[in-house]
Amino acid sequence: MSDRAWPDNPPCPPSSVAVCMTNCPTLIVTVGLPARGKTYISKKLTRYLNWIGVPTREFNVGQYRRECVKIYKSFEFFRPDNEEGLEIRRQCASAALNDVRQYLAEGGGQVAVFDATNTTRERRETIIEFAEQNGLKVFFVESVCEDPDVIQENIVQVKLGSPDYTNCNTEEAVEDFMKRIKCYENSYQTLDEVLDRELSYIKIMDVGQRYLVNRVLDHIQSRIVYYLMNIHITPRSIYLCRHGESELNVKGRIGGDSGLTARGKEFAKKLAHFIRAQGISRLKVWTSQMKRTIQTAEALSVPYEQWKVLNEIDAGVCEEMMYEEIQDHYPLEFALRDQDKYRYRYPKGESYEDLVQRLEPVIMELERQENVLVICHQAVMRCLLAYFLDKTAEELPYLKCPLHTVLKLTPVAYGCKVESIGLNVDAVNTHREKPEVRTTTR
Amino acid sequence: MTNCPTLIVTVGLPARGKTYISKKLTRYLNWIGVPTKEFNVGQYRRECVKIYKSFEFFSPDNEEGLKIRRHCAMAALNDVRQYLSVEGGQVAVFDATNTTRERRGAIVKFAEQNGFKVFFVESVCEDPDVIAQNIVQVKLGSPDYIHCDTQEAIEDFMKRIKCYESSYQPLDEVLDRDMPYIKIMDVGRRYLVNRVQDHIQSRIVYYLMNIHITPRSIYLSRHGESDLNIKGRIGGDSALSARGKEYGTCLRKYIQEQNIKDLKVWTSQMKRTIQTAECLGVPYEQWKSLNEIDAGVCEEMMYEEIQEHYPLEFALRDQDKYRYRYPKGESYEDLVQRLEPVIMELERQENVLVICHQAVMRCLLAYFLDKTAVELPYLKCPLHTVLKLTPLAYGCKVESIYLGVDAVNTHRERPENVSVQRSTEAALKTVPAHF
């Protein structure tokens, strides 16, 4: 992206990733016994990288296997002496790698996450060779864990509901899965400090208690390591809501730094009741540095932290205007925004893409924390929500985040459960859908 | 960042980069706003034992030496307690070898008694070239070896290292599994990270994993003179003046002459830095976070106009230029926060030329030269001048290269009178000349 020379015209909005993350595509390869969180890590990492603007896709070999072998019978399929099983599994891995090559070479992908056990040095060698042939950098992510409680919890959370076990009861499923793990144990060759010292990898031990990081090669690997070292699996909930209705809201004006209306204050009180009723342990409360979120937090009578980066999107020259006025004064800009709401930057203001970049530290800290209530703004909340619910750049600017509604997000299995709680205080609607006609001559 | 203060404790044989890491980490933490101070036990020892005779002092059977060293460690810990509990410090870096489990146990106890969190940073390295380079860079010039020639100094220092080797107990995966620490191996080739407890430790780990010691230089420069510069107006997004374009050409010549290997060029997303980079004829990357400080309602005003329309704001800014935030704009403090990813990436990179803006350059310079929040907003960053920063020993060598193209002066010194009741004349006393 930095190879283009900009002429005297103003430069086009660049991608949100200001730094060239990587010159050649990266292949992330998971390593580990079943039920060690490889798929959880793969999906989460993929979601994070896409959100920060790095096109990433995961390739789960188990999925390929399920497509190939329509019905899963038992752990016997995974026995090391099951020649037919081994052949199928090898083919599935190859098919997945083929799709990886396609995605990275032609599909515009920058990172591919190859999610499989990859527990033997031989299998990993094959992958390294494949990467070399295709000009890819390889980074291994190994998860090692011997805590039976963690493994049990993993099985309950994500294996029981797997298509493999739709027709089994819990006991049968758990028993079969434990035997499945056993099939891999004998041939498991963990990444070794000496034998694998030339490889780039992170070894995650005991769900993040300890990490071994070897030969981080570039910026993207450094970011991946930082991210992986900040995530955890302790149960918790994240509460997202906007400030109470503001004076500018009722006037139909965007941006600004106005105070709460009477209804906004009522919302704040109801929010306080709601939070107390939830009985949340050690809740952290975050706001932006704008009056309306601070006033909302004040009503909770608990300590709260102000983050400047949680401030609403800067609408530049359109600050405090009504949409009608924007159409009046800047009809071209208004149309351009509707054409690409994610990348469009208000003159002297920001784009959603800019917002995501400035919200990244918030996401990182949210990952580290446990129970948090974030009182923010419409565009900001859309960006945060898009991260948790894996929404694309196209969907993000149109996510519905109405006033006076709390979204409770609870991580579950590989995703996030969302509960939408309206606190029954009326407010104006500030949501503007994508209009049908978006041409500049409309 | 953290509720209770943090005590960072270095661990490692001599010449493993502990002081380098301590000083760099301290500089970084202070820059991002976390009051941090380093306590180097070797310094305490030098104050106690005025003249260093030889490695014999460190011999494990030198009872007197051991007693003095224990005493110095205690004195340093006492000052740590003072700094963290009384003086408002948030992080203290206790820089010493701390190579025995016993010594580390004593420190952990000390921390527990005082309500500090402990985080160990161990540096392990057996590469003789790295160790030799370390000795040449920082030991030869040490007060300990002022009266020795190079040969003698190196010989003595190697024997000094030997004194520690037999009793060295590295942090152990099993025995120390409940301790929060990072073990840095072979100058960052490999890291072992254990039990990171909180946000600050996570940031410290991230920082330590991004720094390196490969020789390189960082070139800082502002954009060429702009049309708004000439008019004495701040902010905005104007193009280069004729002289500004000339600077671009001279910069190109300078860069070519320097013959820098694999130079990366970064600009902001404002016209004037991009136009400057265009003159170089090489690829460059644009960072929005390198954009100039947002002057909010004062954008594109002359200082005279700010005094006319916002005399109160103008005075408040002079009272605390670092923390003052323009209405609907930013403060230097905000700038530092948005520049942190730039600093992190500069640490990862090697040779880089950053073409940016006055306030931005002041923030970056303050990081490299360890300037305080008070000094930062008044650092001199004139137009048409390249600052070449080269890491050296524990700090940074600065070369200032003026490329010979005239430009207006945009540096406004802090006026004597910063009171909100001052006269217009007093307020505008230090405004630089403009058209």
Side-chain angles (χ1 to χ4, degrees):
Chain A
M1 56 180 261
S2 60
D3 295 320
R4 290 171 288 174
W6 299 114
D8 269 70
N9 324 325
C12 325
S15 103
S16 72
V17 176
V19 184
C20 179
M21 283 277 182
T22 173
N23 298 320
C24 53
T26 303
L27 177 60
I28 298 175
V29 182
T30 64
V31 179
L33 293 173
R36 265 53 176 186
K38 298 183 300 300
T39 301
Y40 174 80
I41 288 168
S42 299
K43 285 182 182 285
K44 217 169 149 70
L45 188 55
T46 300
R47 179 160 56 87
Y48 168 71
L49 290 172
N50 277 311
W51 186 76
I52 62 170
V54 181
T56 306
R57 195 184 287 175
E58 28 128 17
F59 298 82
N60 178 279
V61 176
Q63 276 296 103
Y64 285 74
R65 187 258 307 158
R66 272 184 282 272
E67 262 146 61
C68 186
V69 182
K70 299 294 170 199
I71 298 167
Y72 173 77
K73 291 203 192 88
S74 81
F75 77 95
E76 307 266 352
F77 177 81
F78 292 96
R79 286 180 55 152
D81 47 338
N82 179 348
E83 283 301 335
E84 201 191 322
L86 284 168
E87 181 53 35
I88 292 173
R89 288 155 72 194
R90 221 172 277 128
Q91 273 180 24
C92 289
S94 286
L97 282 179
N98 217 23
D99 286 352
V100 163
R101 177 199 350 250
Q102 175 99 353
Y103 174 64
L104 296 178
E106 299 155 35
Q110 244 187 290
V111 177
V113 184
F114 186 70
D115 176 20
T117 48
N118 299 314
T119 39
T120 61
R121 192 157 281 113
E122 186 205 348
R123 169 56 59 87
R124 296 195 290 268
E125 263 308 315
T126 314
I127 297 170
I128 292 169
E129 244 177 69
F130 162 86
E132 267 163 28
Q133 284 163 0
N134 290 283
L136 316 174
K137 277 183 181 165
V138 185
F139 189 74
F140 291 96
V141 177
E142 180 173 23
S143 174
V144 173
C145 180
E146 286 316 314
D147 184 338
D149 291 330
V150 174
I151 296 163
Q152 179 77 5
E153 185 56 34
N154 182 314
I155 296 175
V156 165
Q157 277 240 353
V158 295
K159 305 299 179 193
L160 297 185
S162 150
D164 292 345
Y165 296 111
T166 5
N167 298 315
C168 302
N169 70 30
T170 307
E171 274 242 17
E172 293 170 337
V174 174
E175 226 184 277
D176 183 272
F177 201 83
M178 296 306 266
K179 292 195 184 126
R180 203 153 116 179
I181 298 177
K182 275 240 156 325
C183 294
Y184 285 88
E185 277 178 357
N186 288 339
S187 58
Y188 184 19
Q189 292 165 304
T190 183
L191 286 170
D192 184 82
E193 267 191 63
V194 178
L195 293 172
D196 298 305
R197 65 184 170 283
E198 299 295 323
L199 300 182
S200 297
Y201 66 85
I202 178 171
K203 188 191 280 245
I204 304 168
M205 294 167 273
D206 296 318
V207 204
Q209 200 118 285
R210 197 157 78 253
Y211 305 91
L212 185 65
V213 180
N214 198 61
R215 290 195 184 256
V216 169
L217 293 177
D218 58 15
H219 181 90
I220 187 97
Q221 291 180 15
S222 160
R223 289 286 283 276
I224 288 165
V225 164
Y226 184 41
Y227 180 73
L228 292 177
M229 287 175 59
N230 281 312
I231 61 180
H232 67 77
I233 58 166
T234 309
R236 50 81 173 252
S237 288
I238 293 167
Y239 300 79
L240 300 181
C241 80
R242 289 167 67 187
H243 52 82
E245 183 190 67
S246 74
E247 302 286 0
L248 284 177
N249 283 147
V250 296
K251 293 187 181 130
R253 295 182 176 281
I254 66 172
D257 193 15
S258 56
L260 299 182
T261 61
R263 300 196 296 195
K265 289 177 184 156
E266 210 192 315
F267 166 71
K269 283 200 202 102
K270 292 236 168 128
L271 183 62
H273 286 312
F274 170 74
I275 291 302
R276 243 168 275 145
Q278 285 272 304
I280 310 153
S281 106
R282 289 194 300 272
L283 178 72
K284 296 256 166 86
V285 178
W286 297 351
T287 68
S288 69
Q289 285 180 1
M290 298 182 132
K291 286 201 202 83
R292 51 202 191 274
T293 57
I294 292 169
Q295 281 184 339
T296 310
E298 278 293 311
L300 305 181
S301 301
V302 295
Y304 59 92
E305 260 176 68
Q306 297 178 23
W307 292 66
K308 185 176 197 262
V309 294
L310 281 174
N311 281 4
E312 182 58 316
I313 192 171
D314 184 353
V317 299
C318 298
E319 274 286 313
E320 300 198 39
M321 285 190 169
M322 292 188 291
Y323 287 122
E324 292 84 357
E325 287 170 347
I326 301 177
Q327 171 60 29
D328 225 11
H329 298 278
Y330 302 99
L332 175 63
E333 296 294 328
F334 203 37
L336 288 176
R337 187 162 203 253
D338 284 337
Q339 287 177 12
D340 189 358
K341 196 174 177 189
Y342 184 73
R343 273 165 216 87
Y344 173 81
R345 193 185 276 169
Y346 283 108
K348 299 199 172 173
E350 295 176 298
S351 62
Y352 271 93
E353 192 170 34
D354 296 328
L355 250 197
V356 161
Q357 193 177 33
R358 76 162 152 91
L359 285 169
E360 201 266 351
V362 175
I363 287 297
M364 198 62 89
E365 191 54 23
L366 275 172
E367 285 295 347
R368 287 198 57 76
Q369 292 290 340
E370 291 182 22
N371 294 315
V372 187
L373 163 65
V374 185
I375 303 172
C376 55
H377 305 267
Q378 184 167 248
V380 168
M381 189 161 157
R382 284 169 170 157
C383 292
L384 298 179
L385 199 57
Y387 167 75
F388 289 107
L389 302 186
D390 204 15
K391 297 296 181 184
T392 64
E394 280 60 50
E395 299 167 300
L396 188 161
Y398 297 100
L399 293 176
K400 284 203 170 71
C401 295
L403 286 165
H404 300 184
T405 308
V406 178
L407 289 185
K408 178 179 177 180
L409 306 166
T410 310
V412 89
Y414 296 134
C416 227
K417 180 172 84 163
V418 198
E419 292 164 71
S420 173
I421 307 120
L423 294 193
N424 281 323
V425 178
D426 279 338
V428 294
N429 172 24
T430 58
H431 186 90
R432 186 174 165 270
E433 283 292 359
K434 188 196 283 201
E436 263 181 54
V437 184
R438 301 187 285 283
T439 65
T440 53
T441 47
R442 64 185 176 182
Chain B
M1 278 262 183
T2 170
N3 299 321
C4 53
T6 302
L7 176 60
I8 297 175
V9 182
T10 64
V11 180
L13 294 173
R16 265 54 177 184
K18 299 182 300 300
T19 301
Y20 175 81
I21 288 168
S22 299
K23 285 182 180 283
K24 216 170 151 68
L25 189 55
T26 299
R27 180 162 54 88
Y28 167 72
L29 290 172
N30 277 311
W31 186 76
I32 62 170
V34 180
T36 305
K37 198 168 173 189
E38 29 129 16
F39 298 82
N40 177 277
V41 176
Q43 276 295 103
Y44 285 75
R45 187 258 307 156
R46 272 184 282 271
E47 262 147 60
C48 186
V49 182
K50 299 295 174 200
I51 297 168
Y52 174 76
K53 293 204 188 90
S54 80
F55 75 95
E56 303 271 355
F57 177 81
F58 294 96
S59 169
D61 39 68
N62 179 350
E63 281 301 332
E64 200 191 321
L66 283 168
K67 198 157 147 232
I68 292 173
R69 288 154 71 195
R70 219 172 282 131
H71 174 84
C72 289
M74 289 281 96
L77 282 180
N78 219 23
D79 287 352
V80 163
R81 181 201 345 254
Q82 176 86 359
Y83 177 67
L84 295 179
S85 302
V86 178
E87 290 170 21
Q90 248 188 286
V91 177
V93 184
F94 186 70
D95 176 20
T97 48
N98 298 315
T99 39
T100 62
R101 194 157 280 114
E102 185 205 349
R103 168 59 57 87
R104 297 195 290 268
I107 297 171
V108 171
K109 233 164 94 186
F110 161 86
E112 268 163 27
Q113 286 164 355
N114 289 282
F116 308 147
K117 279 184 181 165
V118 183
F119 189 73
F120 290 97
V121 176
E122 179 174 29
S123 174
V124 175
C125 180
E126 288 316 314
D127 184 336
D129 292 329
V130 175
I131 296 164
Q133 181 60 226
N134 183 313
I135 295 175
V136 166
Q137 278 239 351
V138 298
K139 304 300 179 193
L140 298 185
S142 151
D144 292 345
Y145 294 112
I146 255 179
H147 298 119
C148 303
D149 70 40
T150 308
Q151 252 322 94
E152 292 172 337
I154 293 178
E155 233 182 87
D156 183 271
F157 199 83
M158 295 306 268
K159 291 191 185 129
R160 202 154 117 179
I161 297 178
K162 275 244 156 324
C163 293
Y164 286 87
E165 277 178 356
S166 44
S167 61
Y168 182 20
Q169 293 164 305
L171 287 170
D172 183 80
E173 265 189 67
V174 178
L175 294 172
D176 298 304
R177 66 182 167 284
D178 289 328
M179 301 276 215
Y181 68 82
I182 178 171
K183 188 192 279 255
I184 304 169
M185 294 168 273
D186 296 319
V187 205
R189 186 147 289 170
R190 197 158 78 253
Y191 304 91
L192 186 62
V193 181
N194 198 59
R195 291 196 184 259
V196 169
Q197 294 169 312
D198 59 15
H199 179 90
I200 189 91
Q201 290 177 16
S202 159
R203 289 287 281 278
I204 288 165
V205 163
Y206 184 42
Y207 181 72
L208 293 177
M209 287 174 62
N210 280 313
I211 61 180
H212 65 77
I213 59 168
T214 309
R216 50 83 171 251
S217 289
I218 294 168
Y219 300 78
L220 299 182
S221 155
R222 288 169 68 188
H223 51 82
E225 183 192 67
S226 73
D227 288 328
L228 283 178
N229 284 146
I230 294 180
K231 298 188 180 127
R233 294 183 177 280
I234 65 172
D237 192 14
S238 58
L240 297 182
S241 66
R243 301 195 294 196
K245 289 180 184 151
E246 208 190 318
Y247 174 68
T249 313
C250 289
L251 186 60
R252 177 196 186 123
K253 206 162 134 250
Y254 171 75
I255 292 301
Q256 281 168 350
E257 280 163 12
Q258 284 276 302
N259 204 14
I260 308 151
K261 163 178 173 283
D262 296 326
L263 178 72
K264 295 255 166 86
V265 179
W266 297 352
T267 69
S268 70
Q269 286 180 6
M270 299 181 131
K271 284 202 204 81
R272 50 200 190 277
T273 57
I274 292 169
Q275 278 188 319
T276 309
E278 277 294 309
C279 298
L280 306 181
V282 297
Y284 59 92
E285 275 171 52
Q286 298 177 25
W287 293 65
K288 185 174 198 262
S289 18
L290 283 173
N291 280 6
E292 181 58 315
I293 192 171
D294 184 352
V297 298
C298 298
E299 274 286 315
E300 300 196 41
M301 284 190 170
M302 293 188 287
Y303 288 119
E304 292 87 342
E305 288 169 349
I306 302 177
Q307 170 59 23
E308 206 190 309
H309 299 280
Y310 303 99
L312 176 63
E313 297 295 326
F314 201 37
L316 289 176
R317 186 162 204 253
D318 285 337
Q319 287 177 15
D320 189 357
K321 196 174 176 189
Y322 183 73
R323 269 166 217 88
Y324 172 83
R325 193 184 277 168
Y326 282 108
K328 299 199 173 175
E330 294 176 300
S331 62
Y332 271 93
E333 193 170 31
D334 295 327
L335 250 197
V336 161
Q337 195 177 35
R338 76 163 152 90
L339 286 170
E340 201 267 351
V342 176
I343 288 296
M344 198 62 89
E345 191 53 25
L346 275 173
E347 286 294 348
R348 287 198 56 78
Q349 292 289 340
E350 293 182 21
N351 293 314
V352 187
L353 163 65
V354 184
I355 303 172
C356 55
H357 306 267
Q358 183 167 247
V360 168
M361 188 160 157
R362 283 171 171 157
C363 292
L364 299 178
L365 198 58
Y367 167 73
F368 288 108
L369 302 186
D370 204 17
K371 298 296 182 183
T372 64
V374 178
E375 298 168 301
L376 187 162
Y378 297 99
L379 294 175
K380 285 205 169 72
C381 294
L383 286 165
H384 299 185
T385 307
V386 178
L387 288 186
K388 177 178 178 181
L389 305 167
T390 311
L392 184 64
Y394 294 136
C396 224
K397 180 173 86 166
V398 198
E399 290 163 72
S400 173
I401 306 114
Y402 169 62
L403 293 191
V405 180
D406 279 338
V408 294
N409 171 27
T410 59
H411 186 91
R412 181 176 166 265
E413 283 294 356
R414 187 175 194 265
E416 260 180 57
N417 191 341
V418 298
S419 143
V420 301
Q421 283 122 358
R422 63 189 178 178
S423 68
T424 300
E425 196 197 331
L428 297 177
K429 216 159 184 182
T430 57
V431 171
H434 57 86
F435 288 96

